[in-house]
Amino acid sequence: MLNQLLDKLERKFRRFSISNLMLYIVLGMAIFAIADVILMTNPNNKVFLIDMITFDRAKIMQGEVWRVLSFVLVPPEFNMVFLAFALYFYWMMGTSLESQWGSFKFNLFYFTGVIGCIIAGFILGYATNYYLYISLFLAFAILFPNVEIMLFFFIPVKVKWLGLISAAGLAGVFIAGGFQTRIFILLSLANLILFFGKDMFSKVYYTCRRYYYKWKSNK
């Protein structure tokens, strides 16, 4: 049902999709990160570009409307070495998903997550792109579970194990977090729920069912 709907939407709106979307996102992050590093060399400077692109409902309502979308370009908070690795990994995940789905479906996945973050931002007053890129990673782990990455640059680990750890961490934060945290996680992961929710539910259901009947037969 969902695939049929996506195929219909793709035929109608494919021409509006952005090819190599993740490349532009990563380049934007890199530009803002490098610009702020340069600004930091001036001890008297008190204005940083990243502060000007974060999602802030109050400032958006005051006219800084670019913040509605610009927050997706806020780079992860690492030193420059880890930032380079993180941006490369973002690019690799995005291009792999785009190669698997095509530009239209990847755009739809990405911007569904963005819209979820924006809705959460207007409800809560703030938004971050953290869970948006977590959703990207989880989608990558689901579709390419056996890809190996070098953890800490020398430990080979399959993405599926890191995906399971990330999913468990998200579940823990969701359970332990307050109402605002739960709302933000649910809305930020709307893309993951839309694309994989049915399959994940079915897999969990049939796995639990199998173990239940196995336990029952051993009684």
Side-chain angles (χ1 to χ4, degrees), residues 3-176:
N3 288 332
Q4 292 176 351
L5 176 61
L6 291 178
D7 289 340
K8 185 182 292 187
L9 289 173
E10 184 173 13
R11 286 193 296 270
K12 193 171 184 179
F13 299 108
R14 179 187 301 164
R15 65 184 181 276
F16 299 113
S17 61
I18 304 170
S19 299
N20 298 314
L21 173 62
M22 209 60 214
L23 175 62
Y24 301 128
I25 297 295
V26 166
L27 286 175
M29 287 182 169
I31 289 169
F32 280 108
I34 293 169
D36 270 7
V37 168
I38 294 172
L39 290 172
M40 286 178 190
T41 61
N42 180 358
N44 298 319
N45 179 66
K46 296 181 180 180
V47 178
F48 295 99
L49 296 182
I50 291 175
D51 293 336
M52 298 173 64
I53 64 172
T54 57
F55 190 102
D56 186 317
R57 184 179 62 191
K59 292 182 178 179
I60 291 170
M61 301 304 289
Q62 292 170 5
E64 297 183 12
V65 293
W66 63 84
R67 293 176 181 269
V68 173
L69 285 176
S70 62
F71 75 97
V72 303
L73 299 178
V74 175
E77 295 182 4
F78 293 112
N79 62 43
M80 293 305 290
V81 173
F82 282 98
L83 176 65
F85 172 76
L87 294 186
Y88 168 75
F89 193 56
Y90 284 179
W91 172 79
M92 183 189 73
M93 291 190 299
T95 53
S96 296
L97 291 173
E98 184 174 345
S99 176
Q100 178 75 13
W101 284 330
S103 296
F104 174 80
K105 289 181 182 177
F106 176 67
N107 279 214
L108 183 62
F109 178 84
Y110 184 84
F111 286 115
T112 299
V114 171
I115 291 170
C117 290
I118 292 171
I119 294 171
F122 278 109
I123 293 173
L124 305 176
Y126 69 94
T128 171
N129 61 28
Y130 174 75
Y131 292 116
L132 172 65
Y133 294 109
I134 285 289
S135 73
L136 200 72
F137 173 66
L138 291 176
F140 180 74
I142 290 169
L143 293 178
F144 304 97
N146 294 317
V147 169
E148 284 190 347
I149 64 171
M150 302 303 289
L151 191 64
F152 305 118
F153 302 107
F154 65 92
I155 304 175
V157 180
K158 288 187 177 180
V159 169
K160 63 182 176 182
W161 303 122
L162 296 177
L164 286 172
I165 292 170
S166 296
L170 271 177
V173 171
F174 183 84
I175 294 169

Side-chain angles (χ1 to χ4, degrees), residues 172-203:
V173 171
F174 183 84
I175 294 169
F179 173 76
Q180 291 187 339
T181 300
R182 292 171 183 172
I183 287 293
F184 198 85
I185 290 176
L186 283 175
L187 288 173
S188 299
L189 300 184
N191 51 1
L192 202 68
I193 296 169
L194 174 65
F195 274 69
F196 299 103
K198 182 180 179 182
D199 291 338
M200 288 190 293
F201 176 81
S202 297
K203 189 169 184 177

